[in-house]
Amino acid sequence: MRGARYGVRINRKASAQLFPFERYFRGFEDVAAVRELFGAATARVLKQLKVEFFSFRFGYMGTSDVDGHLLISTHHLRTSDFRTLYLDVVHELCHVRQFRDGKRLFYQNLSYVDAPSEIEAYQFTVREGRRLGMSNAELRSYLKVNWITPAEHRRLARRTGVLGPPRRRRRPRH
Ligand SMILES: [Zn+2]
């Protein structure tokens, strides 16, 4: 506890403050896509789900791989358009399902867009976006998050079916 050299004390046993998901997000138990994830357990899962808020301006949402609670940026919650928030929650609930299934959420050695957990969550979310009537262009724009490169964005767009296969490079003529 004590760093004698520094003359200060640090209590290392801080805990994050968690809130009930349903205090902020209502009605998700009636969304068909969410019911597809949790089946008969949907209401119970959402009732037990906890949310931790953080106030950094970067980052949007995430799911803890320690206990499966959600992490949400208060800035994102306050400023993003409704459809983006809705899809982001659906995306995170897909991670909650993966966590409950004992699947791995993070892959340190893979790029974000190559992680099987992300590919599955994005495919699931894109399907929900299509149900809402979103076009491929709108979905591609939804997939454009600021921590991936243009090449990674194209890869993610292809894997989720919102961008066609790469054009074959024409052979140089002699
Ligand atoms: Zn994700």
Side-chain angles (χ1 to χ4, degrees):
M1 266 247 198
R2 202 182 172 106
R5 251 178 89 186
Y6 305 93
V8 299
R9 279 165 189 261
I10 297 174
N11 177 354
R12 293 168 179 263
K13 286 184 198 136
S15 56
Q17 197 172 358
L18 301 179
F19 299 94
F21 172 79
E22 291 187 323
R23 189 182 295 178
Y24 298 89
F25 304 94
R26 306 251 172 90
F28 279 85
E29 69 278 11
D30 297 323
V31 172
V34 177
R35 302 198 70 84
E36 201 184 306
L37 290 171
F38 304 113
T42 303
R44 184 167 46 83
V45 170
L46 296 189
K47 202 169 284 300
Q48 289 170 351
L49 187 60
K50 298 280 190 284
V51 188
E52 172 185 352
F53 294 103
F54 61 94
S55 60
F56 295 136
R57 273 178 153 263
F58 51 86
Y60 300 101
M61 289 193 194
T63 300
S64 160
D65 65 346
V66 175
D67 62 5
H69 77 264
L70 302 188
L71 293 106
I72 298 178
S73 152
T74 53
H75 181 255
H76 179 44
L77 189 61
R78 202 165 45 239
T79 60
S80 295
D81 66 273
F82 198 92
R83 189 172 66 188
T84 298
L85 282 177
Y86 172 85
L87 290 176
D88 284 1
V89 170
V90 168
H91 176 108
E92 294 310 325
L93 290 177
C94 187
H95 287 316
V96 169
R97 160 74 194 269
Q98 291 167 342
F99 176 81
R100 293 172 62 86
D101 286 349
K103 289 190 191 159
R104 198 167 153 188
L105 299 188
F106 300 114
Y107 293 79
Q108 271 76 19
N109 300 324
L110 290 178
S111 142
Y112 175 76
V113 301
D114 298 323
S117 51
E118 293 304 337
I119 294 170
E120 185 183 26
Y122 275 107
Q123 284 173 342
F124 188 75
T125 308
V126 159
R127 238 201 303 141
E128 181 63 2
R130 283 203 196 289
R131 191 190 64 81
L132 297 173
M134 289 171 78
S135 66
N136 278 350
E138 287 174 314
L139 286 162
R140 279 198 297 274
S141 147
Y142 170 74
L143 297 180
K144 206 172 273 169
V145 286
N146 56 21
W147 60 86
I148 63 177
T149 66
E152 288 174 325
H153 174 253
R154 279 194 299 278
R155 217 145 76 220
L156 185 58
R158 285 207 180 91
R159 281 179 184 149
T160 50
V162 299
L163 180 66
R167 256 195 252 152
R168 265 226 232 127
R169 256 193 231 144
R170 231 181 260 169
R171 277 213 200 147
R173 254 189 235 187
H174 292 285

